Amino acid sequence: MTAHRQIGPVALGALVPKDDLRPVYRFAPSPNGFLHIGHAYSALRNFDMARRADGRFLLRIEDVDVDRCRLAYEQAIYEDLEWLGISWSEPALRQSEHFSIYAQAVEALQERGLLYPCFCSRLEISRAVSGMRDWPRDPDGGPLYPGTCRNLSEEERARRLASGQHAALRLDMAQAVGQGGRLLGWSEYGEGDNVRDVHAKPSLWGDCVLARKDVPTSYHISVVVDDARQGVSDVVRGKDLFDATSLHRLLQELFDLPAPRYHHHDLLRDPAGQKLSKSTRAKSLRALREEGVTAQDVRKRLGFS
Ligand code: GLU
């Protein structure tokens, strides 16, 4: 294999005190709406596990999606967590202040020939696959990328870029799996002491976007880079991100980053059995607060004393 740029936690600017061996947990919300009871559960779960393990609990603001994130929501995150009785060990890491680090990680993949520019719009992609029966979808429900731009010639790419066309960067999944190892997996911690080995299936995501047209990174790049920089030992998050972990493991392998332990907890559902989310209009913590619900009520309802 050709030598590649050493990326690793040190090259990325590790943020962990060297001699601190305590486990590290984190809650990593995106400030694109107000926190609801599902977030409260995830945050309390992390906070509680960190406390029991005599570990550190960090707050990370995942605000790389500059279109959807708002300062007012970020401010509300601090207030809502404090209201719940959650405190964090150091100032929150705001991802929007670290774009240059994520760009380095993206460049490292580019140098290895694992990314290619994609000029397609969403509409073009859905048109390209519209006639195909049973076209595969990624775990988020989007159609797998049909590969339209994968085989453009270098001249064509250069021509389009020079003419000012914006490009997203997509992972060449087949190549990445070839370089990152086919036998990836992770340790999934269940309830109690039960641990199982999960095989990663990054190919479920196809040639996914790792840097957007307008933002030089993506959730997947930033989360993997920051979990490593912050020395996160235990990623505790909802089951909705279970499949994303396959892709995160592949990126960790490509970047020579350690794999944290993972625990994907059940998602809270509303009485109709729907997953709680901003889009299903789950009541925000602040709305509950205004109705007179106390933090103690919320903690109790979620099973935390
Ligand atoms: N920022 C992501 C979200 O709010 C969570 C990321 C994670 O926990 O890995 O859905």
Side-chain angles (χ1 to χ4, degrees):
M1 194 195 287
T2 48
H4 56 265
R5 184 205 300 225
Q6 188 60 34
I7 195 118
V10 174
L12 290 171
L15 299 168
V16 209
K18 253 212 159 83
D19 43 3
D20 196 335
L21 299 174
R22 286 176 295 168
V24 180
Y25 292 75
R26 89 307 193 266
F27 177 56
S30 299
N32 52 19
F34 291 120
L35 298 187
H36 56 66
I37 195 103
H39 294 111
Y41 178 72
S42 203
L44 285 165
R45 194 71 203 260
N46 270 287
F47 186 60
D48 196 55
M49 287 173 84
R51 212 188 37 192
R52 283 167 197 262
D54 194 20
R56 294 194 299 138
F57 169 79
L58 307 178
L59 174 63
R60 182 162 76 223
I61 303 294
E62 299 209 324
D63 57 351
V64 294
D65 185 347
V66 288
D67 295 335
R68 295 175 60 219
C69 293
R70 298 277 174 276
L71 266 178
Y73 291 135
E74 179 182 337
Q75 197 52 45
I77 289 173
Y78 302 135
E79 288 168 16
D80 291 347
L81 293 180
E82 277 165 16
W83 177 71
L84 281 172
I86 291 179
S87 54
W88 42 102
S89 314
E90 48 194 65
L93 184 150
R94 303 176 71 231
Q95 289 190 321
S96 58
E97 292 173 1
H98 300 267
F99 279 120
S100 63
I101 302 276
Y102 313 132
Q104 280 182 46
V106 168
E107 271 168 33
L109 293 179
Q110 265 179 311
E111 284 168 13
R112 291 171 67 166
L114 295 178
L115 300 180
Y116 61 86
C118 168
F119 301 92
C120 298
S121 66
R122 245 174 235 243
L123 186 64
E124 282 165 337
I125 297 171
S126 70
R127 283 208 182 118
V129 304
S130 65
M132 321 271 200
R133 274 186 46 155
D134 300 327
W135 185 258
R137 296 192 166 261
D138 70 26
D140 285 344
L144 285 200
Y145 182 63
T148 323
C149 291
R150 191 189 307 124
N151 298 318
L152 294 181
S153 66
E154 278 310 320
E155 296 74 49
E156 179 64 8
R157 284 178 182 158
R159 190 190 63 74
R160 292 206 194 182
L161 290 170
S163 75
Q165 277 191 45
H166 292 292
L169 294 175
R170 286 188 182 272
L171 184 66
D172 185 329
M173 183 56 82
Q175 296 247 29
V177 168
Q179 287 191 26
R182 284 160 200 281
L183 297 172
L184 284 176
W186 74 87
S187 298
E188 175 73 26
Y189 285 69
E191 300 305 324
D193 289 335
N194 116 52
V195 187
R196 68 187 169 104
D197 292 327
V198 179
H199 279 298
K201 296 183 196 144
S203 305
L204 289 175
W205 294 93
D207 285 4
C208 54
V209 169
L210 290 186
R212 290 179 8 177
K213 287 184 182 167
D214 51 343
V215 183
T217 184
S218 57
Y219 159 61
H220 300 299
I221 290 282
S222 305
V223 79
V224 158
V225 166
D226 284 340
D227 281 340
R229 290 201 305 153
Q230 296 189 287
V232 172
S233 58
D234 293 83
V235 172
V236 175
R237 59 187 177 192
K239 284 211 163 98
D240 51 341
L241 290 168
F242 184 86
D243 286 320
T245 301
S246 283
L247 180 55
H248 299 173
R249 286 291 302 114
L250 174 61
L251 293 173
Q252 285 156 356
E253 204 61 22
L254 292 168
F255 292 142
D256 294 323
L257 300 175
R261 293 182 285 251
Y262 285 92
H263 170 62
H264 295 90
H265 60 70
D266 285 337
L267 299 174
L268 297 191
R269 305 204 169 254
D270 66 15
Q274 287 286 312
K275 181 188 126 186
L276 287 183
S277 70
K278 286 157 204 150
S279 50
T280 59
R281 287 186 303 171
K283 246 186 211 165
S284 66
L285 294 176
R286 43 198 45 220
L288 292 172
R289 187 153 78 231
E290 275 157 26
E291 285 171 11
V293 174
T294 67
Q296 193 52 32
D297 296 334
V298 172
R299 296 175 68 101
K300 245 184 144 164
R301 176 180 155 196
L302 296 175
F304 299 92
S305 48

